[in-house]
């Protein structure tokens, strides 16, 4: 990572920073010690490695340092970060496009391309490669919460909804189900295909989507008789929806339910035990309710799912939770 | 809890507080919802229940509210808290002193009394009860980090060391081993007896102390060959020993070891995985290294134990970690 390190050293010198904080997602932990040692040696600073994991550019806590270096996520354009250097770590272009070719039989002729920050330099080469195979792929321009073309977050599907009327399906290039899952649920008439460069395999998201939809229905049914709701509000800068929580509390109380607001950093099942709450509503990262559902003793809903419980929204009008700026 | 609630309602009215944060240790979670509902109804405020657990008066994070209410711990006199109301929850006097009588055969004639905040109103009655049984118990006055006579913390043994030369042993009234464990190690020639009002039983701490001492010796031996040390610094207001961490880093480096500082809120084993660190040194709550030792993949030391690894202190001069103001 030579160029990015030079850019960082320039910023450290320019600001006269003596202390530098380093924030990593879990997957980059193996590089933390080497980067910190390198920085301390070359810049003469003292590093503070943040051991609280970072889950995204929504999650950039202030540190008691002159400069915070955040790795693995692109800044969200609508957020203001103070003294944060986003250390860019794009994944180099792959040696071959076989993982992409594996997806081609599953794709319609017009697809929307979706991916994550680290693959953003792949977007144009992928479009060109697919064009050579007779598939027209398009990429949405960025938006207030996504900094790059085609970038999708687990809580922001602008890159899909923005071009939905111009495509017959979506191709997600990346690992895991969560980023494109919301797209598969929001735009249920358009197939979503995953091409995974880490495994080399391609697959549709139909099965996962159907299982998650069944689980969400189960969560809503389980919450119908809840007397006391706990509404979760995150401390994380890009996940804090305190005003929404206050609104949900008022709407619950107007319908004769009790509701209390819980304020926390990391959301985890063991932190919610012992309160006697019947059902949770998470206004934090949508991933918590959807992906970690089975780990919680009580049903845990998104705000839109609570609206179904309250009779304010129909199941047919189900909406995936997004955090909009 | 009528009187304390009235006092809190007065403070809320006096300040015109509209939002109130509530902080609980894990053991008081079952009372959280009832207290929040009561406050919202009687004071017309909106409550925010802090779901991040609080481990002591060292751990009172700022909340985005007009007033923070902290339950279960006495304020540390040397810390400055902003807009914090310490809600007092002393345990009522027990119906009988049988648990105390169970300890009498194990006690010398002159003992130092040690206990935790919630039993502070028991101190004088216990002294009187023991006097009737021919035992002279004394209680140390408070100090900079302990607000009440006889109060002992897992990180502060002033209540014992201050009176050590006037007693032949100690009586700890409370639950669990950790609070008096440091006393048993620091003052190893004075027996420490626990009288536990929750179980009604009394016992000495000899066995636990000997096991912990063996574990600490094992941790020190395991850390001897470590190349890279990770030094933990806590974000918690009363556990932040950043200056000590910087000093330990410099001393490690002077001895040819690599050392990096890790900054975090809650310390937990899964948060320290994947970094490739050989041994940890915790400057946060001493309980982490001592009580949770077996949960960590690498040895985890206190600052004083690191001094033994570095050859700056002998094992005979072993000192239990305390956080001094």
């Amino acid at each position: 990572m030579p160029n990015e390190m030079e850019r960082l050293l320039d910023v450290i010198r320019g600001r006269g920073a003596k202390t530098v904080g380093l924030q990593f997602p879990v997957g980059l932990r193996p590089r933390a010690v080497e980067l910190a040692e390198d920085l301390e040696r070359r810049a003469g600073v003292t590093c503070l490695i943040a051991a609280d994991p970072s889950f995204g550019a929504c999650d950039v806590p202030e540190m008691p340092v002159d400069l915070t270096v955040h790795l693995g996520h692109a800044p969200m354009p609508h957020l203001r970060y103070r003294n944060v250097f986003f250390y860019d770590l794009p994944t180099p272009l792959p040696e071959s496009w076989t993982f992409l070719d594996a997806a081609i039989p599953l794709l319609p002729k017009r697809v929307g391309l979706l991916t994550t920050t680290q693959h953003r330099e792949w977007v144009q080469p992928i479009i060109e490669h697919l064009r050579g195979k007779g598939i027209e792929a398009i990429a949405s321009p960025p938006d207030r919460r996504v900094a790059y073309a085609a970038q999708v977050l687990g809580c922001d599907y602008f890159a899909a909804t923005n071009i939905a009327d111009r495509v017959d399906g979506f191709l997600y290039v990346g690992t895991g189900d969560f980023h494109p899952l919301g797209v598969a649920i929001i735009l249920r008439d358009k197939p979503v295909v995953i091409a995974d460069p880490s495994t080399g395999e391609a697959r549709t998201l139909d099965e996962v989507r159907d299982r998650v939809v069944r689980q969400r229905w189960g969560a809503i049914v389980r919450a119908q008789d809840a007397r006391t709701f706990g509404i979760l509000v995150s401390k994380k800068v890009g996940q804090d929806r305190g005003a929404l929580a206050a609104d949900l509390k008022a709407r619950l109380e107007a319908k004769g339910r009790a509701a209390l607001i819980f304020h926390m950093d990391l959301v985890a099942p063991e932190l919610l035990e012992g309160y006697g709450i019947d059902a949770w509503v998470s206004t934090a990262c949508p991933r918590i309710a959807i992906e970690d559902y089975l780990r919680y003793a009580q049903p845990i809903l998104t705000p839109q799912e609570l609206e179904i419980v309250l009779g304010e929204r129909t199941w047919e009008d189900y909406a995936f939770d997004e955090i909009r700026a």
Side-chain angles (χ1 to χ4, degrees), chain A:
Chain A
M1 17 180 196
N3 294 337
E4 196 61 0
M5 178 54 99
E6 292 302 333
R7 193 169 75 91
L8 174 55
L9 291 172
D10 278 350
V11 171
I12 290 172
R13 280 183 221 110
R15 300 199 186 181
K18 301 286 175 219
T19 53
V20 172
L22 297 173
Q23 298 179 343
F24 299 87
V26 173
L28 290 178
R29 279 185 193 169
R31 298 170 73 165
V33 166
E34 186 192 341
L35 179 69
E37 288 183 334
D38 204 25
L39 262 186
E40 293 196 341
R41 193 170 52 240
R42 293 174 67 180
V45 295
T46 298
C47 288
L48 237 60
I49 298 174
D52 298 325
S54 173
F55 292 98
C58 56
D59 184 12
V60 183
E62 286 190 33
M63 297 180 72
V65 292
D66 300 326
L67 181 71
T68 296
V69 179
H70 189 97
L71 291 95
H73 306 117
M76 291 183 167
H78 79 297
L79 289 180
R80 271 190 227 150
Y81 302 100
R82 283 198 283 184
N83 295 325
V84 179
F85 179 99
F86 282 85
Y87 196 106
D88 206 10
L89 280 172
T91 308
L93 282 176
E95 290 180 14
S96 93
W97 294 113
T98 44
F99 75 95
L100 209 54
D101 293 337
I104 287 173
L106 305 171
L107 292 175
K109 291 296 167 206
R110 298 187 312 163
V111 296
L113 181 59
L114 306 171
T115 191
T116 49
T117 314
Q118 68 266 33
H119 301 115
R120 66 177 181 278
E121 293 177 357
W122 299 19
V123 169
Q124 282 313 315
I126 287 173
I127 289 174
E128 282 157 33
H129 182 81
L130 289 176
R131 189 179 298 135
K133 306 283 180 176
I135 289 173
E136 184 205 343
I138 59 174
S140 163
D143 188 41
R144 299 200 67 210
R145 292 183 76 249
V146 284
Y148 299 106
Q151 189 189 349
V152 68
L153 301 176
C155 59
D156 193 298
Y157 302 108
F158 176 84
T161 53
N162 183 42
I163 56 172
D165 57 358
R166 295 161 53 197
V167 300
D168 303 311
F170 291 94
L171 170 65
Y172 171 74
V173 172
T175 298
D177 296 328
F178 194 76
H179 286 84
L181 178 64
V183 178
I185 291 178
I186 290 177
L187 302 167
R188 59 199 89 176
D189 57 333
K190 316 259 185 197
V192 176
V193 174
I194 298 178
D196 187 334
S198 69
T199 63
E201 285 169 6
R203 60 198 161 87
T204 78
L205 206 54
D206 295 358
E207 210 172 305
V208 174
R209 180 198 58 197
D210 292 348
R211 189 191 68 225
V212 168
V213 166
R214 284 196 304 273
Q215 278 180 349
R216 301 325 302 160
W217 178 244
I220 291 165
V221 169
R222 284 176 67 206
Q224 291 289 358
D225 297 326
R227 193 196 78 82
T228 305
F229 286 78
I231 305 172
L232 307 181
V233 175
S234 173
K235 289 182 183 179
K236 297 184 191 300
V237 60
Q239 296 184 20
D240 177 357
R241 291 190 283 180
L244 173 61
D247 178 52
L248 296 175
K249 175 174 157 73
R251 284 151 71 187
L252 277 160
E253 289 171 348
K255 293 266 166 71
R257 314 277 187 131
L260 290 160
I261 298 176
F262 288 72
H263 189 243
M264 60 203 308
D265 185 12
L266 201 64
V267 181
E270 65 274 17
L271 298 180
L272 302 181
E273 285 166 11
Y275 288 107
I277 290 289
D278 302 315
W280 301 98
V281 183
S282 170
T283 69
C285 175
R287 198 159 186 161
I288 293 160
I290 308 278
E291 200 163 68
D292 298 342
Y293 173 69
L294 294 174
R295 296 173 55 210
Y296 289 83
Q298 295 86 26
I300 178 164
L301 305 176
T302 67
Q304 294 81 356
E305 291 165 352
L306 177 66
E307 293 175 343
I308 299 178
V309 171
L310 292 178
E312 299 174 355
R313 177 190 287 272
T314 65
W315 173 253
E316 288 65 37
D317 198 27
Y318 182 93
F320 203 87
D321 188 27
E322 290 186 271
I323 298 181
R324 301 301 303 175

